[in-house]
Amino acid sequence: MEAAVQQTRWLGKAWKFFEVTTSTQDEAKKWVQEGAPHGALVVAEEQIQGRGRLGRSWFSPPGKNLYFTVALQLPSSSPPPDTLSLLAGVAVAEALRSHFNAQVFVKWANDVVGSDGRKLAGILVEGFKDRSGTDWALMGIGVNVNLTEDELPDELREIATSLQILLGRQLERFQVLGAILVSLEAWWEDWAKGRLERVLKAFDALDWLKGKLVRLNLPDGTIFEGVAIGVTEKGHLRLRLSGGLERNFPVGEATVRTEE
Ligand code: BTN
C-alpha cells in the first residue's frame, strides 16, 4: 500500500486501508465528515455492500481486485460535475494503457472496457456537502485485476472482464493502484483548472461507443437507438437518432446494438 502512494504529490497521501468494509464510499464520506483532507484515499480488500451506478451492486470479492475511493474537494467554479466520471475513466484507461499495455477504452458514462466491450473497471461519483458547505466528490473506482473467467459469476461472464483475462498474466494490485493514482492526480489538476477540453479530447480518442449503433435505456424505461457521436461538454452522450435528429442524454445505460 505504501508503494502505491509514493509517486503522487497530494493524492492518496492521507489513506486508510480496510480488510473488509461495506463500501469504500461509506468510509470516505464518514472520514470527510470527520475532517479528511482533499485527496484522501480509502482502499478496501473486500466490500460487502459494494455499490455500482443506478442502484446496482459491485462484485467485490477479497484478494483479487481494487476497490477504492478518493475524496476530492470541488473548486468553487469547476466544470460540470457529470464530467468527473469522464475524467476518472480517462485517467484509469490511460494508466492501464501506458503502464501495462492494456488495450482498454472508455465507455460513457463511467466504464473502462476491453476491446470486446466487456467491462473492466467501473466508476461511481457521489457528491455531498460537508458541514461547512463545501462540495465534495467521492470518486469510487473498482478495477477487476486478477479475476479469471472461472471466478466471474455466471451473470457477469458475458459483460465483465479483468486485466488478467486481457493480458494473460497476474498483476501486482498495488502497482496498478499506484499507476492509476498518478494519472488521476494529473487529470484532476487539468479538470480543476478548467481545462475540460483536454479531458474531452482524451475521452474522444478512447471512446469505445463512438460511431457505433447504440441502444440507450433511460432510468424511466424509455429506450432510444442511435449512432453515438461523442460526449458533450456537460458529459452527456450525444446520439444521432434515426431520421437524423441529434439529441443529448444526461443519464442512461448504453449498450452496443448487435444484430438480433
Ligand atoms: C459502476 O460501474 O456502476 C460503478 C462501480 C463502482 C465500484 C467502486 S468499488 C470502490 C467504490 N466503492 C463502492 O461501493 N463502489 C465504488
Side-chain angles (χ1 to χ4, degrees):
M1 187 57 212
E2 277 85 4
V5 295
Q6 248 163 30
Q7 299 151 58
T8 54
R9 282 177 291 111
W10 52 269
L11 185 62
K13 290 298 177 194
W15 56 268
K16 287 189 182 187
F17 178 84
F18 294 85
E19 280 299 333
V20 57
T21 181
T22 50
S23 159
T24 55
Q25 296 290 99
D26 300 337
E27 298 291 355
K29 185 168 185 181
K30 216 185 322 162
W31 193 11
V32 169
Q33 283 160 339
E34 291 162 1
H38 173 62
L41 166 72
V42 176
V43 183
E45 184 69 11
E46 177 182 9
Q47 298 183 118
I48 49 180
Q49 278 165 30
R51 297 201 290 276
R53 230 169 45 113
L54 308 172
R56 283 184 295 237
S57 62
W58 184 255
F59 180 57
S60 310
K64 294 282 167 181
N65 299 326
L66 283 171
Y67 318 111
F68 62 97
T69 298
V70 289
L72 299 160
Q73 208 172 329
L74 295 181
S76 48
S77 75
S78 57
D82 282 351
T83 56
L84 270 175
S85 57
L86 308 182
L87 162 140
V90 164
V92 172
E94 282 209 337
L96 300 179
R97 281 179 164 256
S98 61
H99 283 75
F100 307 102
N101 204 19
Q103 287 304 301
V104 296
F105 299 86
V106 289
K107 175 177 172 246
W108 183 86
N110 67 335
D111 297 349
V112 177
V113 298
S115 46
D116 59 0
R118 289 196 294 167
K119 179 161 165 171
L120 170 88
I123 292 145
L124 175 68
V125 181
E126 296 176 313
F128 87 105
K129 270 191 203 305
D130 68 15
R131 274 184 232 124
S132 68
T134 304
D135 281 308
W136 289 78
L138 302 177
M139 188 182 278
I141 302 181
V143 187
N144 294 341
V145 182
N146 289 326
L147 280 181
T148 60
E149 296 272 5
D150 290 350
E151 288 162 340
L152 283 168
D154 290 346
E155 67 278 14
L156 293 183
R157 206 155 292 154
E158 304 251 297
I159 53 171
T161 189
S162 72
L163 282 169
Q164 141 118 26
I165 295 168
L166 286 183
L167 300 173
R169 66 185 171 101
Q170 299 245 330
L171 293 179
E172 213 283 291
R173 282 178 296 153
F174 291 107
Q175 210 179 327
V176 178
L177 176 61
I180 293 174
L181 292 176
V182 168
S183 174
L184 196 54
E185 183 177 76
W187 280 106
W188 168 269
E189 285 174 358
D190 267 345
W191 183 88
K193 285 179 187 144
R195 298 187 205 122
L196 177 62
E197 72 290 348
R198 291 198 193 175
V199 177
L200 295 174
K201 195 170 165 219
F203 192 94
D204 189 66
L206 295 171
D207 187 349
W208 189 72
L209 291 178
K210 196 173 176 181
K212 295 194 169 87
L213 182 58
V214 164
R215 174 175 288 179
L216 186 70
N217 283 64
L218 302 191
D220 69 359
T222 320
I223 295 175
F224 284 90
E225 274 187 12
V227 175
I229 304 170
V231 168
T232 71
E233 49 195 47
K234 285 192 176 143
H236 300 170
L237 178 68
R238 190 159 181 80
L239 293 184
R240 183 175 305 116
L241 306 174
S242 56
L245 184 73
E246 291 184 8
R247 189 166 156 180
N248 302 339
F249 295 89
V251 65
E253 186 64 24
T255 44
V256 170
R257 179 94 159 68
T258 47
E259 295 312 315
E260 279 153 11

